[in-house]
Amino acid sequence: MASSISLTRYLVEKQRQHGHIPAQLRLLIEVVARACKRISISVNKGALGDVLGTAGSENVQGEVQKKLDVISNEVLIEANEWGGHLAAMASEEMDSIHVVPHRYPQGEYLLLFDPLDGSSNIDVNVSIGTIFSVLRKVGHSRGVSEEDFLQPGKQQAAAGYCIYGPQTTLVLTVGDGVAMFTLDREQGSWTLIQEDVQIPHDTKEFAINMSNVRHWAPPVKRYIDECLAGKEGPRGKDFNMRWVASMVADVHRILTRGGIFMYPWDKREPDKAGKLRLMYEANPMAFIVEQAGGMATNGQQRIMDIQPEKLHQRVSVMLGSKNEVERVTGYHQSPTA
Ligand code: AHG
Ligand code: MN
Ligand code: MN
């Protein structure tokens, strides 16, 4: 039997080959992966584990929290605060940053996460996930504050997500391509299933919440109208549509077989840049997608170039197959082209 490669072995070998995964980062990734394993167990228990339904609280963004949003957040905090690899954490589900308590050593990394992505799918047994992003604490100032987190996505040291679907799969980049690991429940370990994941540059599949069509800006409407026109339209080919309403699941499909994902700005809340969060959703996914040969923009610029102003900042997102993202971004930049 061919020997399988575990996440630990993958990280150790990366560290040896390139020396660019410092020990603290390796530990961080393993701890996050372990936390995802725990979340996966809760997700799988569902009603039997009393984890479905709402928690009866709201997060800082005014969204109703599900029990699993809160549980997953706690699992990630507890798992990560004592290892000495982190200075602080920030989460979609917490108003402000969580600084590592003084009783533990402080590390050099900052961890950001969307503990449970796709909350509306929890109770209906559809794929959900955890998304994470890792930054270095730059500068030598004592203590850590929200400002330390406000770094553009291009400064991420690592990013990943775990999808809790028919299989539980961890997708990871440390800036050296994208690798996928599936949880082997009998062994209790993450096993490498694919290295050097590549997103095809062309696609015939788009993902967008079509119910918002009347609220979109003209460039997005034009792009989708052209896809819908199919073979007889300007694109000269038929397109297929998918929308899981869990970003992890939509991005995972795109990493597997290509496609474009969009959650653009729309007129419902014109003052918000978009629905998705820059620091917990857009940046980590943009890093993964770019590392897999895809592209990620907000219609105007590369997502990872955006200088964040606030921790919970929202952003318009278009990502996936390079030629399609380039096209819709072009429609924003020169609307008549
Ligand atoms: P979250 O559950 O973390 O709040 O994220 C949900 C996000 C994203 O996963 C998904 O693509 C999008 O919201 C779905 O939004 P709609 O329900 O508006 O389609
Ligand atoms: Mn989310
Ligand atoms: Mn979430």
Side-chain angles (χ1 to χ4, degrees), residues 63 69 92-93 114-119 129 131 245-248 275-277 280-281:
E63 297 162 337
D69 288 320
E92 183 185 286
E93 302 301 341
D114 174 356
L116 210 290
D117 175 67
S119 302
I131 310 172
S246 292
M247 189 190 201
V248 277
K275 175 180 178 178
L276 299 179
R277 275 88 9 165
Y280 317 113
E281 294 169 318

PDB file of all heavy atoms in Angstrom, residues 63 69 92-93 114-119 129 131 245-248 275-277 280-281, ligand 2:
ATOM      1  N   GLU A  63     -25.949  40.162  12.902  1.00  0.00           N
ATOM      2  CA  GLU A  63     -26.468  38.891  12.404  1.00  0.00           C
ATOM      3  C   GLU A  63     -26.791  37.980  13.582  1.00  0.00           C
ATOM      4  O   GLU A  63     -26.037  37.938  14.566  1.00  0.00           O
ATOM      5  CB  GLU A  63     -25.418  38.213  11.505  1.00  0.00           C
ATOM      6  CG  GLU A  63     -25.102  39.011  10.264  1.00  0.00           C
ATOM      7  CD  GLU A  63     -23.781  38.575   9.602  1.00  0.00           C
ATOM      8  OE1 GLU A  63     -22.920  38.004  10.283  1.00  0.00           O
ATOM      9  OE2 GLU A  63     -23.634  38.841   8.403  1.00  0.00           O
ATOM     10  N   ASP A  69     -22.049  28.771  15.358  1.00  0.00           N
ATOM     11  CA  ASP A  69     -21.159  29.939  15.222  1.00  0.00           C
ATOM     12  C   ASP A  69     -20.405  30.143  16.538  1.00  0.00           C
ATOM     13  O   ASP A  69     -19.187  30.362  16.561  1.00  0.00           O
ATOM     14  CB  ASP A  69     -21.972  31.221  14.953  1.00  0.00           C
ATOM     15  CG  ASP A  69     -22.569  31.287  13.549  1.00  0.00           C
ATOM     16  OD1 ASP A  69     -21.888  30.887  12.594  1.00  0.00           O
ATOM     17  OD2 ASP A  69     -23.716  31.760  13.415  1.00  0.00           O
ATOM     18  N   GLU A  92     -15.025  36.969  13.089  1.00  0.00           N
ATOM     19  CA  GLU A  92     -16.303  37.520  12.634  1.00  0.00           C
ATOM     20  C   GLU A  92     -17.332  37.549  13.768  1.00  0.00           C
ATOM     21  O   GLU A  92     -18.225  38.383  13.786  1.00  0.00           O
ATOM     22  CB  GLU A  92     -16.806  36.590  11.513  1.00  0.00           C
ATOM     23  CG  GLU A  92     -18.069  36.994  10.842  1.00  0.00           C
ATOM     24  CD  GLU A  92     -18.514  35.921   9.855  1.00  0.00           C
ATOM     25  OE1 GLU A  92     -17.885  35.816   8.798  1.00  0.00           O
ATOM     26  OE2 GLU A  92     -19.467  35.192  10.160  1.00  0.00           O
ATOM     27  N   GLU A  93     -17.202  36.641  14.713  1.00  0.00           N
ATOM     28  CA  GLU A  93     -18.196  36.517  15.779  1.00  0.00           C
ATOM     29  C   GLU A  93     -17.827  37.269  17.062  1.00  0.00           C
ATOM     30  O   GLU A  93     -18.499  37.116  18.068  1.00  0.00           O
ATOM     31  CB  GLU A  93     -18.450  35.036  16.100  1.00  0.00           C
ATOM     32  CG  GLU A  93     -18.932  34.205  14.918  1.00  0.00           C
ATOM     33  CD  GLU A  93     -20.247  34.718  14.289  1.00  0.00           C
ATOM     34  OE1 GLU A  93     -20.981  35.475  14.954  1.00  0.00           O
ATOM     35  OE2 GLU A  93     -20.509  34.376  13.124  1.00  0.00           O
ATOM     36  N   ASP A 114     -13.347  33.189  10.272  1.00  0.00           N
ATOM     37  CA  ASP A 114     -14.804  33.069  10.186  1.00  0.00           C
ATOM     38  C   ASP A 114     -15.043  31.653  10.704  1.00  0.00           C
ATOM     39  O   ASP A 114     -14.835  30.680   9.981  1.00  0.00           O
ATOM     40  CB  ASP A 114     -15.244  33.213   8.721  1.00  0.00           C
ATOM     41  CG  ASP A 114     -16.740  32.958   8.539  1.00  0.00           C
ATOM     42  OD1 ASP A 114     -17.402  32.596   9.523  1.00  0.00           O
ATOM     43  OD2 ASP A 114     -17.212  33.115   7.398  1.00  0.00           O
ATOM     44  N   PRO A 115     -15.417  31.528  11.998  1.00  0.00           N
ATOM     45  CA  PRO A 115     -15.438  30.187  12.612  1.00  0.00           C
ATOM     46  C   PRO A 115     -16.387  29.234  11.903  1.00  0.00           C
ATOM     47  O   PRO A 115     -16.113  28.050  11.777  1.00  0.00           O
ATOM     48  CB  PRO A 115     -15.881  30.447  14.050  1.00  0.00           C
ATOM     49  CG  PRO A 115     -16.371  31.847  14.111  1.00  0.00           C
ATOM     50  CD  PRO A 115     -15.805  32.595  12.945  1.00  0.00           C
ATOM     51  N   LEU A 116     -17.525  29.777  11.458  1.00  0.00           N
ATOM     52  CA  LEU A 116     -18.508  28.922  10.791  1.00  0.00           C
ATOM     53  C   LEU A 116     -19.071  29.700   9.616  1.00  0.00           C
ATOM     54  O   LEU A 116     -19.812  30.665   9.802  1.00  0.00           O
ATOM     55  CB  LEU A 116     -19.600  28.558  11.804  1.00  0.00           C
ATOM     56  CG  LEU A 116     -20.305  27.215  11.649  1.00  0.00           C
ATOM     57  CD1 LEU A 116     -21.198  27.211  10.429  1.00  0.00           C
ATOM     58  CD2 LEU A 116     -19.317  26.044  11.574  1.00  0.00           C
ATOM     59  N   ASP A 117     -18.661  29.321   8.432  1.00  0.00           N
ATOM     60  CA  ASP A 117     -19.141  30.000   7.222  1.00  0.00           C
ATOM     61  C   ASP A 117     -20.302  29.217   6.630  1.00  0.00           C
ATOM     62  O   ASP A 117     -20.248  27.989   6.522  1.00  0.00           O
ATOM     63  CB  ASP A 117     -17.997  30.082   6.206  1.00  0.00           C
ATOM     64  CG  ASP A 117     -18.479  30.661   4.896  1.00  0.00           C
ATOM     65  OD1 ASP A 117     -18.844  31.847   4.872  1.00  0.00           O
ATOM     66  OD2 ASP A 117     -18.521  29.912   3.898  1.00  0.00           O
ATOM     67  N   GLY A 118     -21.347  29.968   6.236  1.00  0.00           N
ATOM     68  CA  GLY A 118     -22.519  29.313   5.637  1.00  0.00           C
ATOM     69  C   GLY A 118     -23.552  28.968   6.693  1.00  0.00           C
ATOM     70  O   GLY A 118     -24.256  27.962   6.581  1.00  0.00           O
ATOM     71  N   SER A 119     -23.653  29.833   7.711  1.00  0.00           N
ATOM     72  CA  SER A 119     -24.543  29.543   8.857  1.00  0.00           C
ATOM     73  C   SER A 119     -25.968  29.158   8.446  1.00  0.00           C
ATOM     74  O   SER A 119     -26.601  28.343   9.117  1.00  0.00           O
ATOM     75  CB  SER A 119     -24.630  30.756   9.779  1.00  0.00           C
ATOM     76  OG  SER A 119     -23.355  31.105  10.216  1.00  0.00           O
ATOM     77  N   GLY A 129     -18.340  25.586   6.602  1.00  0.00           N
ATOM     78  CA  GLY A 129     -16.887  25.520   6.755  1.00  0.00           C
ATOM     79  C   GLY A 129     -16.332  26.489   7.786  1.00  0.00           C
ATOM     80  O   GLY A 129     -17.074  27.219   8.444  1.00  0.00           O
ATOM     81  N   ILE A 131     -13.078  29.384   7.890  1.00  0.00           N
ATOM     82  CA  ILE A 131     -12.069  30.060   7.055  1.00  0.00           C
ATOM     83  C   ILE A 131     -11.070  30.753   7.984  1.00  0.00           C
ATOM     84  O   ILE A 131     -11.491  31.365   8.985  1.00  0.00           O
ATOM     85  CB  ILE A 131     -12.719  31.129   6.136  1.00  0.00           C
ATOM     86  CG1 ILE A 131     -13.924  30.555   5.381  1.00  0.00           C
ATOM     87  CG2 ILE A 131     -11.697  31.699   5.154  1.00  0.00           C
ATOM     88  CD1 ILE A 131     -14.727  31.601   4.596  1.00  0.00           C
ATOM     89  N   ALA A 245     -24.536  29.076  -1.244  1.00  0.00           N
ATOM     90  CA  ALA A 245     -24.742  30.029  -0.135  1.00  0.00           C
ATOM     91  C   ALA A 245     -23.854  29.722   1.070  1.00  0.00           C
ATOM     92  O   ALA A 245     -24.114  30.178   2.177  1.00  0.00           O
ATOM     93  CB  ALA A 245     -26.203  30.155   0.273  1.00  0.00           C
ATOM     94  N   SER A 246     -22.809  28.922   0.849  1.00  0.00           N
ATOM     95  CA  SER A 246     -21.690  28.802   1.776  1.00  0.00           C
ATOM     96  C   SER A 246     -20.474  29.137   0.921  1.00  0.00           C
ATOM     97  O   SER A 246     -20.167  28.388  -0.019  1.00  0.00           O
ATOM     98  CB  SER A 246     -21.493  27.374   2.286  1.00  0.00           C
ATOM     99  OG  SER A 246     -22.535  26.966   3.118  1.00  0.00           O
ATOM    100  N   MET A 247     -19.782  30.220   1.243  1.00  0.00           N
ATOM    101  CA  MET A 247     -18.637  30.597   0.410  1.00  0.00           C
ATOM    102  C   MET A 247     -17.623  29.454   0.315  1.00  0.00           C
ATOM    103  O   MET A 247     -17.067  29.196  -0.746  1.00  0.00           O
ATOM    104  CB  MET A 247     -17.979  31.847   0.986  1.00  0.00           C
ATOM    105  CG  MET A 247     -16.934  32.436   0.083  1.00  0.00           C
ATOM    106  SD  MET A 247     -16.002  33.713   0.924  1.00  0.00           S
ATOM    107  CE  MET A 247     -15.342  34.610  -0.463  1.00  0.00           C
ATOM    108  N   VAL A 248     -17.383  28.761   1.422  1.00  0.00           N
ATOM    109  CA  VAL A 248     -16.415  27.654   1.390  1.00  0.00           C
ATOM    110  C   VAL A 248     -16.795  26.628   0.327  1.00  0.00           C
ATOM    111  O   VAL A 248     -15.929  26.142  -0.401  1.00  0.00           O
ATOM    112  CB  VAL A 248     -16.255  26.900   2.731  1.00  0.00           C
ATOM    113  CG1 VAL A 248     -15.306  27.580   3.670  1.00  0.00           C
ATOM    114  CG2 VAL A 248     -17.564  26.606   3.368  1.00  0.00           C
ATOM    115  N   LYS A 275     -21.275  42.321   1.024  1.00  0.00           N
ATOM    116  CA  LYS A 275     -21.765  41.536   2.164  1.00  0.00           C
ATOM    117  C   LYS A 275     -20.627  40.833   2.902  1.00  0.00           C
ATOM    118  O   LYS A 275     -20.614  40.738   4.113  1.00  0.00           O
ATOM    119  CB  LYS A 275     -22.774  40.485   1.701  1.00  0.00           C
ATOM    120  CG  LYS A 275     -23.191  39.585   2.840  1.00  0.00           C
ATOM    121  CD  LYS A 275     -24.193  38.513   2.488  1.00  0.00           C
ATOM    122  CE  LYS A 275     -24.458  37.687   3.751  1.00  0.00           C
ATOM    123  NZ  LYS A 275     -25.448  36.647   3.581  1.00  0.00           N
ATOM    124  N   LEU A 276     -19.675  40.331   2.124  1.00  0.00           N
ATOM    125  CA  LEU A 276     -18.647  39.480   2.723  1.00  0.00           C
ATOM    126  C   LEU A 276     -17.593  40.317   3.444  1.00  0.00           C
ATOM    127  O   LEU A 276     -17.383  41.490   3.133  1.00  0.00           O
ATOM    128  CB  LEU A 276     -18.018  38.596   1.654  1.00  0.00           C
ATOM    129  CG  LEU A 276     -19.017  37.637   0.972  1.00  0.00           C
ATOM    130  CD1 LEU A 276     -18.328  36.810  -0.097  1.00  0.00           C
ATOM    131  CD2 LEU A 276     -19.686  36.727   1.992  1.00  0.00           C
ATOM    132  N   ARG A 277     -16.926  39.684   4.382  1.00  0.00           N
ATOM    133  CA  ARG A 277     -15.944  40.391   5.198  1.00  0.00           C
ATOM    134  C   ARG A 277     -14.545  40.257   4.610  1.00  0.00           C
ATOM    135  O   ARG A 277     -14.104  39.163   4.249  1.00  0.00           O
ATOM    136  CB  ARG A 277     -15.953  39.840   6.632  1.00  0.00           C
ATOM    137  CG  ARG A 277     -16.970  40.436   7.536  1.00  0.00           C
ATOM    138  CD  ARG A 277     -18.337  39.931   7.658  1.00  0.00           C
ATOM    139  NE  ARG A 277     -18.786  38.724   7.067  1.00  0.00           N
ATOM    140  CZ  ARG A 277     -19.928  38.120   7.412  1.00  0.00           C
ATOM    141  NH1 ARG A 277     -20.694  38.651   8.339  1.00  0.00           N
ATOM    142  NH2 ARG A 277     -20.321  37.013   6.824  1.00  0.00           N
ATOM    143  N   TYR A 280     -11.927  38.154   7.091  1.00  0.00           N
ATOM    144  CA  TYR A 280     -12.202  36.758   7.475  1.00  0.00           C
ATOM    145  C   TYR A 280     -12.608  35.882   6.301  1.00  0.00           C
ATOM    146  O   TYR A 280     -12.577  34.668   6.402  1.00  0.00           O
ATOM    147  CB  TYR A 280     -13.342  36.695   8.510  1.00  0.00           C
ATOM    148  CG  TYR A 280     -13.240  37.734   9.585  1.00  0.00           C
ATOM    149  CD1 TYR A 280     -14.180  38.760   9.691  1.00  0.00           C
ATOM    150  CD2 TYR A 280     -12.187  37.707  10.491  1.00  0.00           C
ATOM    151  CE1 TYR A 280     -14.080  39.724  10.677  1.00  0.00           C
ATOM    152  CE2 TYR A 280     -12.081  38.664  11.480  1.00  0.00           C
ATOM    153  CZ  TYR A 280     -13.027  39.677  11.569  1.00  0.00           C
ATOM    154  OH  TYR A 280     -12.916  40.630  12.534  1.00  0.00           O
ATOM    155  N   GLU A 281     -13.074  36.518   5.208  1.00  0.00           N
ATOM    156  CA  GLU A 281     -13.579  35.726   4.084  1.00  0.00           C
ATOM    157  C   GLU A 281     -12.811  36.051   2.794  1.00  0.00           C
ATOM    158  O   GLU A 281     -12.210  35.169   2.178  1.00  0.00           O
ATOM    159  CB  GLU A 281     -15.089  35.976   3.896  1.00  0.00           C
ATOM    160  CG  GLU A 281     -15.896  35.454   5.066  1.00  0.00           C
ATOM    161  CD  GLU A 281     -17.355  35.892   5.104  1.00  0.00           C
ATOM    162  OE1 GLU A 281     -17.649  37.072   4.819  1.00  0.00           O
ATOM    163  OE2 GLU A 281     -18.219  35.071   5.447  1.00  0.00           O
TER     164      GLU A 281
HETATM  165 MN    MN B   2     -18.843  33.526   6.190  1.00  0.00          MN
END
